[in-house]
């Protein structure tokens, strides 16, 4: 028997479940290993950064960061492919993957730690995962500790008094847009999952496991709910659709969420880092947003711009990106 891939992850980590969903779709033998005190020593042999997921290949190489993990495995195991063959669709898929990872994470993290009900549910689940055999008393103490630590960290993704409303409005709007798009198809780009599905799904799935977002998804977005379930064990039900068929309901998502919010935010964040600022403000769709800059996002914006620069014939792509307000942010 060949050694399977090992995925060190956490059930509450959007990037971990994203990578697991991808391995399931690819049909690649893998072992899911919860990162905890018991598995920490093995984890540390391969991890360069203290984050999950960590994938250990059958050859014993450790890889981190979900986007490069998917890209790397995709080159080694190209079938079934997650990149639509049409260049416009392929780039939009990469753009939505980045949007999910970086902007979708604000929805998930903000909602998870904003209200008592979600704080208690999430901290309780995290505590149980860390100490499965804890007594009720120990569990309550651990829950309180995790809750305090995580609530104190929401500023990190830009969640604060000024931005809370903007983050929540963005989530509710995105749910409506996605629901319309998923009403007539199983996945974002047709009858099989694409790169973009994995990035966006990791965040929305996690949000749905918490009470407030569960109520929003279940009450307002039944097609998104079906997709949330489907993406746990995704499979190819047919082909990718031509972009022309996707555009009527996908372009509004690009315009309202990616062009108006995510890309201007990402550009302002990168500029603030380059200028060595401690804090930055930017007007997003008419409302002021302020936060401390986030380091990782400048790196992932640069990677996205590189993908844009490498896209072949850009006539159709540029026309779409221009119409949806996404072009300026992608041209470095
Ligand atoms: N960009 C990274 C982000 C990974 C990440 O932020 N992981 C979080 C959990 S979702 C983490 O491991 N935080 C530190 C910890 O849990 O100890 C990726 O896509 O894999």
């Amino acid at each position: 028997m060949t050694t399977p891939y090992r995925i060190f992850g956490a059930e509450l980590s959007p990037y971990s479940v994203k990578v697991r969903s991808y391995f399931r779709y690819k049909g690649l033998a893998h072992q899911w290993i919860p990162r905890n005190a018991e598995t920490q020593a093995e984890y540390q042999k391969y991890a360069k950064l203290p984050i999950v997921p960590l994938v250990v290949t059958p050859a014993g190489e450790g890889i981190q960061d979900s986007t490069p993990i998917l890209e790397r495995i995709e080159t080694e195991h190209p079938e079934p492919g997650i990149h639509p063959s049409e260049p416009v669709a392929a780039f939009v898929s990469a753009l939505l993957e980045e949007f999910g990872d970086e902007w979708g994470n604000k929805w998930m993290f903000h909602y998870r730690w904003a209200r008592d009900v979600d704080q208690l549910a999430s901290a309780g689940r995290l505590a149980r995962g860390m100490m499965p055999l804890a007594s009720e008393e120990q569990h309550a103490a651990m829950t309180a500790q995790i809750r305090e630590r995580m609530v104190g960290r929401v500023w990190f993704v830009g969640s604060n008094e000024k931005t809370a409303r903007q983050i929540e409005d963005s989530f509710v709007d995105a749910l409506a847009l996605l629901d319309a798009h998923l009403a007539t198809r199983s996945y974002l780009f047709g009858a099989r999952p694409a790169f973009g599905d994995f990035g966006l799904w990791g965040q929305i799935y996690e949000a749905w496991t918490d009470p407030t977002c569960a109520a929003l998804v279940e009450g307002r977005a039944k097609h998104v709910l079906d997709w949330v379930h489907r993406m746990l064990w995704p499979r190819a039900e047919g082909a990718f659709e031509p972009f022309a068929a996707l555009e009527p309901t996908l372009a509004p998502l690009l315009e309202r969420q990616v062009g108006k919010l995510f890309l201007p935010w990402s550009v302002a964040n990168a500029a603030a880092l380059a200028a060595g600022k401690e804090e930055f403000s930017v007007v997003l769709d008419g409302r002021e947003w302020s936060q401390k800059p986030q380091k990782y996002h400048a790196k992932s914006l640069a990677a996205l711009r590189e993908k844009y620069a490498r896209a072949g014939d850009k006539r159709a792509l540029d026309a779409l990106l221009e119409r949806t307000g996404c072009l300026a942010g992608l041209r470095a």
Side-chain angles (χ1 to χ4, degrees), residues 75-315:
T75 60
E76 288 168 13
H77 301 278
E79 297 300 330
I82 60 164
H83 301 302
S85 58
E86 228 179 308
V88 175
F91 183 75
V92 170
S93 172
L95 180 57
L96 289 180
E97 195 263 352
E98 165 77 1
F99 167 71
D101 275 5
E102 313 304 329
W103 188 264
N105 188 245
K106 300 190 188 312
W107 302 330
M108 195 288 299
F109 208 73
H110 162 78
Y111 273 110
R112 180 164 279 176
W113 303 109
R115 294 173 177 78
D116 286 351
V117 62
D118 301 288
Q119 291 171 10
L120 286 168
S122 307
R125 287 196 294 151
L126 282 164
R128 195 43 86 189
M130 286 158 104
M131 305 196 327
L133 303 178
S135 67
E136 280 307 303
E137 226 170 49
Q138 289 167 325
H139 179 252
M142 183 60 124
T143 299
Q145 203 182 319
I146 292 173
R147 181 182 182 187
E148 192 186 332
R149 189 173 70 227
M150 298 311 286
V151 171
R153 279 193 197 170
V154 292
W155 59 267
F156 182 79
V157 299
S159 162
N160 54 53
E161 258 172 47
K162 193 188 244 174
T163 61
R165 190 61 201 270
Q166 297 177 59
I167 296 172
E168 297 195 357
D169 287 351
S170 162
F171 182 65
V172 168
D173 185 48
L175 277 187
L177 295 166
L178 285 168
D179 206 54
H181 184 65
L182 291 167
T184 54
R185 53 185 61 86
S186 290
Y187 300 97
L188 295 177
F189 292 85
R192 54 178 60 209
F195 201 27
D197 287 273
F198 294 99
L200 206 51
W201 175 80
Q203 307 294 335
I204 295 179
Y205 166 76
E206 287 295 337
W208 167 77
T209 66
D210 298 330
T212 298
C213 288
L216 289 171
V217 172
E218 289 168 19
R220 298 169 180 244
K222 296 283 190 245
H223 303 295
V224 175
L225 179 62
D226 289 344
W227 171 78
V228 160
H229 290 309
R230 205 174 285 130
M231 280 293 295
L232 263 176
W233 294 93
R235 58 198 176 86
E237 298 169 13
F240 288 123
E241 283 175 45
F243 193 75
L246 303 167
E247 186 172 344
T249 45
L250 208 47
L253 179 73
L254 293 178
E255 186 187 343
R256 282 175 22 201
Q257 295 289 321
V258 184
K260 284 205 166 106
L261 303 175
F262 169 58
L263 282 172
W265 171 84
S266 195
V267 168
N269 180 71
L273 277 174
K277 287 195 188 153
E278 284 290 309
E279 175 124 14
F280 74 97
S281 289
V282 56
V283 176
L284 301 178
D285 199 15
R287 294 196 267 182
E288 193 181 66
W289 176 290
S290 305
Q291 72 165 103
K292 286 186 202 302
Q294 293 175 244
K295 264 201 189 124
Y296 178 80
H297 304 265
K299 197 175 123 195
S300 65
L301 175 64
L304 181 69
R305 284 174 166 169
E306 230 168 83
K307 283 178 196 169
Y308 168 73
R310 278 203 311 266
D313 180 357
K314 292 205 184 60
R315 270 168 305 180

